[in-house]
Structures are given as C-alpha cells and as structure tokens.
Amino acid sequence: MNAVLPRFLKSAYRKEPIVSALLTIGVIDALIGGLDDSWSLFTFGLATAGIGFVFKLWRMQQRPSLPEEPVAQYYLPPQSSTAPLPILKVPKKKPRH
C-alpha cells in the first residue's frame, strides 16, 4: 500500500471528521450494495456519500476568506531608530542580611 494514502486519510479525518465518516460510510455501503445486488443499500450508500460531499462543499464556502496582506504594526516611531538609546543606570542596593 502506498505510504501517502494513510497520511492523507489521517489528515482528512482530523480536519473534517463528520464529512470523512459520512463519505466512508457511503462508499462502503455503495460497494457492498453494488457487489451484493442490493440496490437499496447501494442507493443508501450513494445518498450518504452525496450528503457528505455536499456538506463538505457547504463547509468550504462557510470559511472566512484570508486577508490579502497583514498590516505591519510598529511599536516605535521611525525616528527612534536614528536616535541612540538612553543609558540606564541601576542604583546598587546593599543586600539585606
């Protein structure tokens, strides 16, 4: 078995567990119904897989769009980069015993 397929399935189940479960149930039911000449199970499997696929499309449309370019936030004004930083003097305290 190809090593890419298990990774793909794991990532799909982690991202969309409900959709992945519906698609898996639908495909398995359709396979069993098609091979066993049970048309009701085949139809149920196709319907379940179709509902899962439509649900995934609906979820993809519900995701908010990403902003085009994030705006940089500066904490210091541009003039401060040319000025030297002040020297900090820390008063020495005598340790307490």
Side-chain angles (χ1 to χ4, degrees):
M1 183 177 213
N2 194 355
V4 176
L5 184 62
R7 266 191 230 150
F8 173 74
L9 290 175
K10 282 182 185 178
S11 68
Y13 267 96
R14 285 183 187 144
K15 290 179 185 174
E16 299 280 342
I18 296 172
V19 172
S20 299
L22 283 174
L23 288 174
T24 303
I25 291 169
V27 168
I28 296 299
D29 284 349
L31 280 174
I32 293 171
L35 293 175
D36 202 27
D37 288 335
S38 174
W39 295 108
S40 60
L41 185 60
F42 180 74
T43 306
F44 177 74
L46 286 181
T48 306
I51 290 170
F53 186 69
V54 168
F55 189 65
K56 176 151 179 78
L57 290 177
W58 179 70
R59 293 279 307 247
M60 286 174 53
Q61 290 179 350
Q62 295 296 321
R63 290 184 185 154
S65 61
L66 297 174
E68 291 183 15
E69 193 171 314
V71 178
Q73 183 178 8
Y74 297 104
Y75 293 102
L76 296 174
Q79 300 89 357
S80 69
S81 62
T82 58
L85 294 174
I87 298 174
L88 296 177
K89 294 182 180 179
V90 180
K92 294 185 181 180
K93 295 182 180 178
K94 294 181 181 179
R96 295 182 183 178
H97 290 292

